[in-house]
Amino acid sequence: VYVIDDNESIRRSFARLLRSGNLLVDTFASPEEFFASPRKDENACIIADLKMPGSTGFDLAQQLTSSGIKTPLIIISASDDWQTREHARELGAVAFFRKPVDDQALLDAITWAVAGAGKKQGKDEGART
């Protein structure tokens, strides 16, 4: 699972949670840092904050689409309204969570995204990142 959030404490918190669920985790402070790093897109999922300095989760979603990257995206945000949720859905986010996030719901969404969305895109099963 790739976690992209400008807040270091949130990245650490998500990393601890995901590792407790036996998931491999890489964290990034920005979408730019994510795109500059080597990564595995199969059997993977991205969790991204909606509002970050410079780039937003929406910018990330558009970059993923324009780059042809089909890794499922879960958007996390402190703000929650129907327009934001709808825009996230239009940009291809497979889930949207309002902070603070329910730990089990997030773990379930990751499992669903990697297994369900990955199969729809023709990805092989295997180790989850």
Side-chain angles (χ1 to χ4, degrees):
V1 177
Y2 301 110
V3 176
I4 306 169
D5 196 302
D6 61 305
N7 186 313
E8 183 178 351
S9 65
I10 290 176
R11 288 193 310 270
R12 279 195 314 258
S13 175
F14 279 144
R16 276 193 303 272
L17 169 67
L18 300 176
R19 287 184 186 116
S20 76
N22 294 317
L23 297 168
L24 301 174
V25 182
D26 285 327
T27 63
F28 303 93
S30 69
E32 295 79 15
E33 187 178 310
F34 168 77
F35 282 109
S37 298
R39 67 189 173 279
K40 183 181 127 191
D41 294 327
E42 293 81 27
N43 299 311
C45 179
I46 300 167
I47 299 172
D49 189 17
L50 180 62
K51 295 184 180 179
M52 295 177 277
S55 293
T56 67
F58 291 152
D59 295 333
L60 172 66
Q62 291 172 328
Q63 286 178 288
L64 291 170
T65 299
S66 65
S67 299
I69 298 171
K70 299 184 185 306
T71 305
L73 174 64
I74 296 173
I75 297 284
I76 307 289
S77 178
S79 60
D80 184 16
D81 57 61
W82 72 269
Q83 295 100 336
T84 304
R85 283 180 175 269
E86 184 59 29
H87 192 54
R89 195 175 359 267
E90 288 169 358
L91 291 174
V94 297
F96 183 98
F97 287 93
R98 182 172 182 245
K99 292 178 184 176
V101 177
D102 177 271
D103 293 349
Q104 190 58 54
L106 180 60
L107 290 169
D108 291 346
I110 292 166
T111 300
W112 173 82
V114 171
K119 287 180 185 174
K120 286 181 190 174
Q121 296 166 3
K123 296 180 181 177
D124 298 328
E125 294 211 26
R128 298 178 296 173
T129 303

